[in-house]
Each structure stands twice: as C-alpha cells, then as structure tokens.
Amino acid sequence: MAIYDHSKYVSLTMEFRCNLACKHCMIEGTMDRLAPQSDEVFARLLEHNARTGDWTGLILTGSEITLRRDLPELARRARAAGFKHVRIQTHGMHLGRAAYSQMLVEAGVDEFFVSVAGSGAASHDGITTVAGSFDKTLRGLEILDSYDGVATITNTVVTEDSYRLLPGIVGALGHLRKLTQMEFWFYFPMKETDEKGLVANHLDALPYLREATRMAQALGREVEIKNYPECLLGADSILLVNDQPQLFIDPAFWDEFARNGFYQCPHRDNCVSKQCLGLNTAYIKRFGDHKDLLRPFLGPAAEF
C-alpha cells in the first residue's frame, strides 16, 4: 500500500554535521568519526544511474543535509543525470526561510522528508534541545505546502518521551495539504543498553500509535511503522515497512548498528514475517522478551 517504492530510491549520506542535539540521536557518539560520501562517489553514482536507470529517486541525507551550501547544486546535478525525484532528509528548520525553500525547489528537490519530534513547541523543542526549532520546521512545511509538484513526508522517532504525543503530532500537522505520508520509527540506541531510558515499551505505546494511525489515515495520508513487532499490530500489520532504500554510508556505521542485536524473538523460528525486526538487546534488557504476548506472525488476515 506504500506510495513510495523504497527499491526505486538510493540514499547517500553526504553530511555528518548537525545543529540540533536531539535527545534520541542515534549517532551522536559517531558523528565526529563518520565520513560523508565523497563528491567522487556522488559523481560515480550519477553516472551509473544515467547509464542504467536503476533508481528513479535520489535521497540526500546526513545528520543535517541542509548544512551543505552546495545542496542546490547537488540536486541540479542529480536531476540532470536523470533522477525523476530528489528528496532531502532534514530537521526542516532551514526550510522556514522562504527564499531557501524556493531555492531548493527550483534546483529540483521535490520531496522533503522532515523530522517532527513533538506536537508543539514545548515538546518538540524539549526533544531537539533547541528553542524555536518547532516553529521553524512547521513554517517550512507550510511554505512547501504552497508549491505544486512538491511532496512532504514526516518522520517521528517514537521514544519514552514522545509516544504519548503521536496523536497530537498528527493533529498539529492536520492542515498541511502536501503531507503525503507519516512515518513512526521506534527508537533503538545503537548499543546493547538503553542508557538514556528512551526506549518505549511497545505495549504502552500501542494505543497512541493506533490513534495516530487512524487520524493520519482519516486525513488521507499513508502511514509507515518502523521497528515494531508485527504480530502486535494485528490488522495494522500491513503498515509495518522496514524496507529501506539502498544506502551509501561510511562502513563504520554498520559496526555500531550491529550492536542493536535485532531479530530477537522467542517465536522467530515459527514466524513467517518478512518485515519484523523482532526485539533488540536494549529493549529486552528493559522490558523482557514478551514471550507470552508475542506470537508467530501468520499473515495480515490471520486470527490472533
């Protein structure tokens, strides 16, 4: 049911600086060590796609891609190389400057994947730890709403601090016409322990997730849920989409990612799910393995 085919996109991590300090940042300890993809890699990818047409969309990402002053030029080059869509993944603050948003749109950026951490200034700014960040991000989304041919997508990291805010986040963005999809990503700490106490209990978060999902769908928006046990979603299991575009990133990132220890589930040997990541090590250490609550996933139409 997804409107964006992840297999048709390719993602390049082109920047590892950020001017926010989000409490849930999963790479805060590695940003100073990870290297962005080089201009040579970027050029080779453009040449490859111009020759093969493997992908229709390019995603420019990083800790905060809008810190690259040459971002408009990267977008223009991607469009010239034949990419039908150029997407940026951003916290959205800089989009609150109308001239900057216009410059990106005119350069060929037609999809904006924007992180929204809270349901209003107090909660969002409390999570990003930067005052005024919510107002700038919301203003940016509103500016993009005025452009034909532009689509926006939002991403919310679901943590102990944010899961109760999910319905309010949907409501706060309810007036946006170009918001096509809302994604809810359950937090993992990139290590074996949840030192910050941010991992949300799946059972506690589920009622808020369901309400937010219903609200978003009523507004005509698609929903994707990430890193949540498929069997707990019941009829909403079809919304679990852990597929991702092919990602070009510093290989050292994967060493950190592996520390999460995904795919732990007492029923995994009997489960048919192709999307579920199971539980991770930090989650199990906090909340246990839910052996009596999880069950083998038998398909979206199965009886539970």
Side-chain angles (χ1 to χ4, degrees):
M1 294 180 65
I3 57 176
Y4 299 102
D5 182 350
H6 296 294
S7 70
K8 301 303 293 181
Y9 284 76
V10 61
S11 184
L12 272 77
T13 307
M14 299 289 290
E15 176 60 69
F16 274 111
R17 295 173 297 160
C18 188
N19 52 348
L20 294 184
C22 298
K23 293 179 179 179
H24 56 243
C25 180
M26 290 175 279
I27 59 169
E28 62 182 354
T30 57
M31 280 192 290
D32 57 344
R33 310 190 263 109
L34 295 175
Q37 298 299 290
S38 67
D39 291 341
E40 290 74 17
V41 168
F42 179 73
R44 288 201 301 270
L45 184 138
L46 295 190
E47 187 279 329
H48 171 88
N49 203 60
R51 176 168 41 86
T52 66
D54 283 348
W55 305 288
T56 58
L58 173 66
I59 302 171
L60 298 172
T61 184
S63 296
E64 181 45 50
I65 191 64
T66 60
L67 294 181
R68 283 194 66 131
R69 293 187 177 182
D70 63 345
L71 180 56
E73 178 60 21
L74 297 179
R76 281 190 287 269
R77 289 172 62 189
R79 284 290 201 157
F83 278 100
K84 294 181 180 178
H85 301 288
V86 175
R87 179 186 302 176
I88 65 166
Q89 184 169 350
T90 174
H91 56 45
M93 283 204 306
H94 296 168
L95 302 176
R97 292 183 285 122
Y100 181 73
S101 286
Q102 181 177 347
M103 179 171 60
L104 292 182
V105 172
E106 290 178 348
V109 181
D110 65 331
E111 296 176 358
F112 293 79
F113 185 59
V114 180
S115 297
V116 179
S119 56
S123 58
H124 180 98
D125 295 2
I127 292 169
T128 65
T129 71
V130 173
S133 57
F134 178 81
D135 290 341
K136 292 176 181 177
T137 296
L138 181 59
R139 177 59 181 150
L141 286 166
E142 291 171 342
I143 289 170
L144 294 174
D145 228 35
S146 67
Y147 285 98
D148 293 332
V150 165
T152 56
I153 306 163
T154 60
N155 160 50
T156 297
V157 178
V158 183
T159 69
E160 176 64 28
D161 291 344
S162 68
Y163 75 80
R164 301 170 187 83
L165 304 173
L166 297 181
I169 291 171
V170 178
L173 305 179
H175 61 295
L176 299 172
R177 298 176 298 107
K178 301 297 179 64
L179 179 50
T180 59
Q181 181 163 291
M182 302 189 75
E183 301 187 7
F184 304 115
W185 294 55
F186 277 75
Y187 168 82
F188 46 85
M190 297 283 279
K191 58 183 64 175
E192 300 83 358
T193 55
D194 180 23
E195 296 171 1
K196 295 183 177 181
L198 287 177
V199 172
N201 186 303
H202 292 320
L203 306 177
D204 292 341
L206 186 56
Y208 299 91
L209 178 64
R210 288 196 191 283
E211 182 181 355
T213 295
R214 297 286 85 78
M215 291 175 62
Q217 290 173 327
L219 291 166
R221 293 166 185 166
E222 297 295 332
V223 172
E224 287 192 5
I225 298 168
K226 311 283 188 181
N227 189 34
Y228 192 92
E230 189 164 3
C231 62
L232 293 181
L233 290 172
D236 289 328
S237 63
I238 196 171
L239 303 179
L240 182 72
V241 182
N242 283 318
D243 294 332
Q244 295 293 335
Q246 183 173 348
L247 173 64
F248 287 82
I249 193 171
D250 188 328
F253 168 83
W254 298 115
D255 295 333
E256 300 291 331
F257 186 84
R259 295 178 62 184
N260 288 298
F262 288 115
Y263 299 108
Q264 298 183 58
C265 177
H267 306 293
R268 186 153 192 86
D269 291 343
N270 301 312
C271 183
V272 302
S273 175
K274 303 300 182 184
Q275 288 291 330
C276 189
L277 301 181
L279 303 176
N280 58 63
T281 300
Y283 186 94
I284 292 172
K285 286 183 177 180
R286 279 202 66 185
F287 304 115
D289 67 2
H290 297 322
K291 181 177 182 179
D292 297 332
L293 296 170
L294 301 179
R295 62 194 69 190
F297 181 71
L298 304 177
E303 295 289 337
F304 287 89

